[in-house]
Amino acid sequence: MGVAGFILSPVIGFVIGIFFMGLFRIIMARIHWRYGPPLYQPVIDIIKLFLQKSVSHGVIFELGLLLSLAGSVVTLLFIPIGNICPLNISGGLLVVLYLMLLAPIGIALSGGSGSNPNISIGISRKMLLALSYEVPFLLIVLTLMFYYRTISLVNLVHFQRASSWGIVSLPLAGIAYFLILPAMLGIRPFDMVEAPQEISSGLKVEYSGKFLALYYIEHAFRRFIVIALFVNLFLGGAGEPFTFLLKMVIVFVLGVFINAVFPRFRIEQAIRFNWTWPTILALAGLIITYIWGGYG
Amino acid sequence: MSYPDIIFNNLLIVALGGAFLTYLLGKVSQNVRNGFAIFISSVLVLMVAGLHGYGKELVYARFFDHPLILRINNLSWLFAITITVLSTMSIIFSLSYMKDKTRLGLYYMMMLLVSTSMLGIVMSGDLISFYVFWEIMSWSIFVLVSYNKGPALAAGLKYIIISLAGSLCMLVGILSIYGNFGTFDISQIAGFIASAPRGYIVFILIMFCIAFGIKNGLMPLHVWVPSAYTESPSPFTALLSGMLAKMGTFGFLMIFYIMLGSRIFLYLGQGRLSFHYILCLLAGITIVIPNFIAVFQDDAKKLLAWSSIGQCGYIILGIAFGTSLGLAGGIFHFFNHAIFKALLFLAVGAVEFRTGGVRDLNSLGGLANKMPVTFIATLVGACGLIGIPLTNGFVSKWLIYKTLILNGSPFLAFAALIGTWGSLLAIYKLLHNMFLGQLSEKHKNIKSAPFSMRLPMVILCAVTIIFGILPGLGLNIINSIGISLGFESLGVNLWGIASETGTLNTINIFAAIIVLVFIVYIIFRTGGKSVLVSQDNSYAAGAYVPADKYHYTVDFYNPFYTMVKPWLKDRIDQFYVWIGKISEKLAEFVRRMYTGDLGNYVIYIMLFLAVLICVQLIWRPW
């Protein structure tokens, strides 16, 4: 793909991420027996917010947000979308794991300097939630990397396309990943980080105008990355972007269904949940893989 | 004689002489002494830098018939340059930090003596010199840890007791080696030990590993670390965590790969029960538990101390795992950790200095705008600690993870990866509770850190980032160390590591992040205007926000803490305290035998002789 990938990849991420936001609202509305906003409502919202006057809390407040958005887009450059993967030779899945930290750290810095108690509570919850889902997530990722004996995301996709999908070869890890997917996406029952009724939306309470717009865009990218990673790791990726995006939409819609029917967990409940079933499944998957040996 | 020869011959003389001269100059004038301490430590940096790529052995004295040897090679050089640079940084930092303290002559002399002894350790070619320098270092640390008196004295005592136990173990090992092979020369021992029985080698290894493990804070030998790091003066803590603890790392490298060699070391025992794998497991435990204990600390330096123990786990894991990637990762992480942890301790020291000794994370906050350089230093150090790409910590951790995964140890890799989350939670708490959030009224007039504090922090920041973007600067030397220790070469270039399964290219990541931050910034600038508001002007859902500190910092991770609290008991520390009590009781019992009555002593002697006679009659050993 060459240079075109560097432009194509963020554009796809942006468009699909925003599309997911619209889709999310429509599906939720239909489940609630409402009509819901039009699909392009998030676009209108973002443009409107972008042009509005806003309130800033200083340099760190602004730079942190910029860093987090840039971090999300950089992460996207490492993730294959079908055959588009501009930075596929620069370190593999381990780099992705660490680049995925840039966005939350940027947001946490920006929010932290917002000096609002609600933000601090939101960050504390975000960190703990991340810790709780990282335990099974790392086990899952290690299972895959150990099974296929590679740390390259592109190779993982190649191997799956050559044999069978990850979810067939490693069913326990796949199920565990699906169980923590709502937590990684930050949707119910794991939306305590942004609980609007308790801590006035937590992390984003001080964002207004263009800050809020950038936050939404970052959020869209982050959702895209999490789902894209799932498709690449367990649903065999794809040879070209279209199939890939189709798989992503299916996963996302399943996630929205979960979101629609569950009430919110408290943070302790979330930690306890993530450290029981997903962790047990992921650990069992890793132990089985460890005993039976790897692929090929 | 060429220049490197002259430098090498005089290095330790200059270091030692400089240390004592500093003390004497202090009697003349305070400023002259401070200037001279900086001068001599900078001279040492230059001298060591001049030895780059130089290898030599020098017999400097004789102990009875045994030559005492100094030698230098790439491994020693890497340690030596880190020692001298860090010690210069902490001495510069000390200028303002220690300004109002007393007994400064002693302080500066000990700081220089500590670096001299470390230089001696990394350059000794025989076990006698090694042990002597090791003891000079151990006792100098004691003096500096307990410099502040009060609780520091208790911390120092705890340290020196545990450290002495380690030194004695090492002494047993050294004497046993001498008894068997009749030499102290490390390269000669390396020749003899190959034919020694495996059981004997393991015994020697355990003796040395106790000594090195104690210095390095390897679990379960780490108990002295938290109190000693917390109570010592901050510039010295930077050196203590950055370099002095790493002398254990050097010891491990020396005994594993120079004295034994990888051919023997990696094949002691079978499969999962081999010596190096058990050490890897201990290192894995050392990564996970301390990094999560750090999350619950409220004292900034104690938090960093626990985190240091955890990071040393990565170093030992990499070294003990025994692949060329692991060794490179371990050595590189030693260097990186020395840099970024020293940076963090200095930054905490700067905050401590400006706020009048406050280290309690619950009572600080909002200092970022008041002390911007210190904040950036902490941020960069934190990124290095977590291992965010573009800081040096990332590269070394990447190497360790990669070898763990590809060489079939996913559980150790899990320990290493989850340990990162412990350090992320802990260091974010430090960053947030010190620098972000609301500034309290009493800190409204705080000034930025003085220049002599900012300079070392800025330099260390720059090193952290440069080695993150161009890791080849360090990895080239480390690669040559690996080759000289008998490992295969890595495909190192200036900006990463090339190999068939997964290449690391930090330049790509750097370019991508820079370009994207720029683009995002342009987009950001085109948006609507924003107004800067004060910290009190924030949205609290209709509630009134008090003017002072109304901020969520106390019990930052409370939900998590209440969950794990039942399991948080320091059983290891309790165990050592129990041993202490038992030996106290034993000593008490022994003391009672000394009644002071001559008749009793005669009875003891008679009883002892009677026992000896019985033994002789029954078993006839003599």
Side-chain angles (χ1 to χ4, degrees):
Chain A
M1 290 302 286
V3 187
F6 283 99
I7 298 159
L8 214 52
S9 182
V11 169
I12 293 177
F14 179 72
V15 172
I16 301 298
I18 301 289
F19 164 71
F20 278 168
M21 287 175 108
L23 193 66
F24 184 86
R25 293 178 71 172
I26 289 192
I27 297 175
M28 285 300 287
R30 296 297 152 87
I31 294 173
H32 293 163
W33 286 34
R34 289 186 283 117
Y35 188 75
L39 192 59
Y40 52 83
Q41 184 64 41
V43 181
I44 301 175
D45 285 348
I46 285 175
I47 293 174
K48 178 200 72 183
L49 284 170
F50 204 73
L51 299 174
Q52 274 178 348
K53 231 177 130 183
S54 55
V55 158
S56 161
H57 278 278
V59 182
I60 308 161
F61 186 75
E62 296 171 5
L63 278 184
L65 193 59
L66 298 186
L67 176 72
S68 91
L69 182 50
S72 276
V73 183
V74 169
T75 317
L76 193 58
L77 295 180
F78 283 81
I79 295 180
I81 305 170
N83 53 352
I84 307 170
C85 184
L87 285 178
N88 58 358
I89 49 141
S90 304
L93 192 48
L94 287 174
V95 174
V96 173
L97 286 183
Y98 272 83
L99 281 174
M100 280 169 80
L101 294 177
L102 272 179
I105 286 178
I107 288 279
L109 283 177
S110 162
S113 66
S115 38
N116 186 319
N118 287 321
I119 300 181
S120 300
I121 298 172
I123 296 172
S124 158
R125 290 184 181 183
K126 171 75 198 164
M127 291 284 181
L128 293 179
L129 183 67
L131 173 67
S132 79
Y133 68 67
E134 281 295 324
V135 172
F137 179 64
L138 291 174
L139 285 170
I140 292 160
V141 170
L142 283 169
T143 313
L144 277 157
M145 289 195 281
F146 179 73
Y147 181 75
Y148 292 107
R149 286 295 166 112
T150 178
I151 59 167
S152 155
L153 202 48
V154 178
N155 284 353
L156 281 176
V157 175
H158 273 305
F159 288 139
Q160 288 182 58
R161 284 163 59 76
S163 59
S164 55
W165 287 6
I167 199 148
V168 180
S169 334
L170 302 163
L172 290 176
I175 295 167
Y177 198 151
F178 193 73
L179 287 177
I180 58 167
L181 208 53
M184 294 184 76
L185 289 170
I187 56 177
R188 269 194 299 253
F190 298 99
D191 66 339
M192 69 292 283
V193 175
E194 300 201 340
Q197 301 87 337
E198 296 171 38
I199 52 172
S200 3
S201 297
L203 285 172
K204 61 183 180 211
V205 58
E206 283 299 309
Y207 292 137
S208 56
K210 60 180 173 182
F211 295 99
L212 195 56
L214 289 183
Y215 180 83
Y216 278 136
I217 296 172
E218 198 277 320
H219 205 65
F221 273 117
R222 205 170 347 147
R223 279 194 175 161
F224 185 89
I225 289 168
V226 171
I227 299 173
L229 210 51
F230 182 71
V231 172
N232 274 322
L233 293 180
F234 284 102
L235 301 184
E240 86 309 337
F242 184 72
T243 325
F244 187 83
L245 295 177
L246 197 67
K247 286 179 182 175
M248 280 186 65
V249 171
I250 294 169
V251 176
F252 181 70
V253 170
L254 285 175
V256 180
F257 289 166
I258 295 172
N259 177 60
V261 293
F262 278 101
R264 182 184 306 140
F265 276 160
R266 284 205 316 270
I267 182 72
E268 305 93 288
Q269 292 168 323
I271 298 176
R272 205 161 283 140
F273 171 79
N274 280 333
W275 283 1
T276 46
W277 290 113
T279 307
I280 290 170
L281 286 174
L283 194 61
L286 181 55
I287 291 171
I288 291 171
T289 316
Y290 188 66
I291 294 168
W292 280 359
Y295 161 87
Chain B
M1 283 219 296
S2 63
Y3 277 120
D5 282 329
I6 300 168
I7 294 175
F8 181 63
N9 294 348
N10 297 311
L11 184 62
L12 282 183
I13 300 170
V14 171
L16 202 60
F20 290 114
L21 204 56
T22 307
Y23 184 78
L24 293 178
L25 282 175
K27 303 284 176 202
V28 181
S29 152
Q30 300 264 333
N31 288 332
V32 172
R33 177 200 56 213
N34 298 353
F36 186 73
I38 293 173
F39 169 73
I40 205 78
S41 53
S42 324
V43 165
L44 286 177
V45 174
L46 292 178
M47 286 176 87
V48 173
L51 291 175
H52 177 58
Y54 173 76
K56 202 194 169 188
E57 275 204 3
L58 169 76
V59 179
Y60 68 94
R62 286 192 166 270
F63 178 73
F64 296 103
D65 283 341
H66 305 289
L68 300 184
I69 303 164
L70 284 182
R71 66 170 158 63
I72 187 151
N73 50 29
N74 277 339
L75 180 65
S76 313
W77 184 81
L78 180 68
F79 274 81
I81 192 79
T82 326
I83 291 164
T84 46
V85 168
L86 270 195
S87 111
T88 312
M89 293 301 135
S90 27
I91 287 176
I92 295 176
F93 191 89
S94 302
L95 284 186
S96 3
Y97 186 86
M98 302 300 289
K99 205 164 52 190
D100 307 325
K101 304 272 169 62
T102 52
R103 291 176 291 136
L104 284 181
L106 178 73
Y107 174 81
Y108 283 109
M109 182 180 80
M110 287 325 253
M111 286 293 270
L112 286 168
L113 197 59
V114 151
S115 35
T116 311
S117 62
M118 284 193 286
L119 284 176
I121 289 173
V122 298
M123 298 203 310
S124 359
D126 65 300
L127 290 175
I128 296 180
S129 319
F130 188 86
Y131 189 75
V132 169
F133 284 121
W134 186 270
E135 284 301 291
I136 296 177
M137 175 184 80
S138 297
W139 287 95
S140 317
I141 295 177
F142 170 68
V143 172
L144 283 165
V145 165
S146 46
Y147 178 82
N148 281 339
K149 304 275 179 68
L153 208 55
L157 274 177
K158 191 172 180 181
Y159 155 74
I160 196 69
I161 289 170
I162 295 169
S163 176
L164 277 179
S167 301
L168 288 179
C169 284
M170 183 157 78
L171 193 59
V172 170
I174 291 174
L175 291 177
S176 162
I177 285 179
Y178 178 68
N180 273 291
F181 308 126
T183 177
F184 290 110
D185 184 345
I186 291 173
S187 43
Q188 280 184 8
I189 295 169
F192 288 129
I193 211 160
S195 52
R198 289 290 185 262
Y200 179 69
I201 294 179
V202 171
F203 162 73
I204 293 290
L205 269 181
I206 290 174
M207 284 298 142
F208 277 91
C209 282
I210 291 175
F212 300 147
I214 284 173
K215 268 291 173 308
N216 218 327
L218 181 69
M219 266 192 151
L221 305 167
H222 65 279
V223 283
W224 65 274
V225 174
S227 55
Y229 282 23
T230 313
E231 299 302 338
S232 52
S234 288
F236 173 65
T237 321
L239 195 60
L240 178 59
S241 164
M243 265 335 288
L244 289 156
K246 304 304 184 321
M247 285 302 109
T249 311
F250 179 80
F252 280 126
L253 281 168
M254 183 198 78
I255 189 154
F256 293 162
Y257 297 117
I258 295 179
M259 210 153 104
L260 286 180
S262 53
R263 295 244 174 92
I264 303 174
F265 170 62
L266 298 176
Y267 299 98
L268 288 170
Q270 295 197 329
R272 297 290 173 237
L273 276 177
S274 58
F275 187 86
H276 83 108
Y277 197 77
I278 292 170
L279 201 62
C280 284
L281 289 182
L282 280 181
I285 295 169
T286 311
I287 291 171
V288 177
I289 297 176
N291 269 321
F292 280 95
I293 293 177
V295 174
F296 303 121
Q297 302 304 320
D298 284 331
D299 183 314
K301 281 175 82 176
K302 201 163 248 180
L303 187 150
L304 291 178
W306 278 108
S307 157
S308 290
I309 305 176
Q311 294 296 316
C312 285
Y314 285 97
I315 300 169
I316 299 174
L317 182 58
I319 289 173
F321 197 69
T323 56
S324 50
L325 274 177
L327 187 78
I331 299 178
F332 198 34
H333 201 65
F334 132 73
F335 174 78
N336 298 338
H337 181 250
I339 301 292
F340 62 67
K341 193 49 73 68
L343 177 59
L344 286 170
F345 271 116
L346 292 186
V348 168
V351 170
E352 201 185 352
F353 177 71
R354 278 301 187 209
T355 54
V358 182
R359 295 195 309 251
D360 181 16
L361 289 176
N362 294 337
S363 52
L364 292 165
L367 293 175
N369 292 326
K370 296 284 168 189
M371 309 178 78
V373 177
T374 316
F375 169 67
I376 291 167
T378 318
L379 183 60
V380 172
C383 289
L385 181 71
I386 302 164
I388 301 283
L390 301 193
T391 55
N392 55 12
F394 171 70
V395 183
S396 45
K397 283 188 179 180
W398 185 87
L399 289 167
I400 296 172
Y401 299 147
K402 184 181 166 188
T403 184
L404 290 174
I405 292 164
L406 295 184
N407 293 304
S409 288
F411 295 100
L412 285 175
F414 176 68
L417 279 164
I418 203 69
T420 297
W421 274 91
S423 43
L424 170 59
L425 260 69
I427 203 70
Y428 183 74
K429 177 180 173 179
L430 184 118
L431 208 58
H432 175 268
N433 289 11
M434 269 190 168
F435 294 103
L436 304 176
Q438 289 185 318
L439 185 69
S440 69
E441 280 296 324
K442 63 175 179 249
H443 296 148
K444 278 262 150 69
N445 298 321
I446 259 179
K447 279 183 286 186
S448 180
F451 177 73
S452 64
M453 289 188 169
R454 279 178 304 182
L455 179 71
M457 290 196 286
V458 168
I459 293 175
L460 291 175
C461 264
V463 175
T464 307
I465 292 172
I466 288 171
F467 278 80
I469 297 170
L470 299 173
L473 292 175
L475 282 173
N476 272 325
I477 304 162
I478 290 164
N479 194 25
S480 69
I481 293 172
I483 294 169
S484 70
L485 296 178
F487 287 90
E488 59 184 277
S489 171
L490 306 166
V492 178
N493 52 27
L494 195 55
W495 45 81
I497 283 209
S499 65
E500 61 283 5
T501 50
T503 312
L504 181 67
N505 189 330
T506 44
I507 277 287
N508 274 355
I509 304 174
F510 175 66
I513 290 182
I514 290 295
V515 169
L516 278 164
V517 167
F518 185 70
I519 292 173
V520 171
Y521 179 71
I522 298 287
I523 295 172
F524 174 77
R525 284 304 296 269
T526 56
K529 281 226 153 135
S530 64
V531 190
L532 190 68
V533 299
S534 80
Q535 64 170 23
D536 307 323
N537 193 350
S538 63
Y539 174 75
Y544 165 69
V545 181
D548 191 29
K549 192 161 169 284
Y550 179 65
H551 187 203
Y552 181 70
T553 55
V554 181
D555 290 340
F556 195 60
Y557 296 122
N558 193 32
F560 183 44
Y561 182 60
T562 43
M563 276 181 74
V564 299
K565 202 168 149 195
W567 288 284
L568 278 182
K569 287 200 183 102
D570 196 348
R571 297 203 188 280
I572 300 174
D573 199 45
Q574 285 169 4
F575 173 71
Y576 287 113
V577 171
W578 179 75
I579 288 188
K581 287 220 174 94
I582 292 279
S583 47
E584 207 172 309
K585 274 185 192 155
L586 204 68
E588 180 71 7
F589 175 73
V590 172
R591 192 185 62 80
R592 282 204 198 136
M593 289 165 58
Y594 295 95
T595 51
D597 183 0
L598 197 64
N600 283 356
Y601 294 152
V602 174
I603 292 172
Y604 292 152
I605 294 168
M606 288 303 177
L607 276 174
F608 184 62
L609 283 176
V611 170
L612 284 185
I613 290 167
C614 289
V615 168
Q616 172 65 4
L617 285 178
I618 299 168
W619 289 291
R620 296 185 180 280
W622 297 290

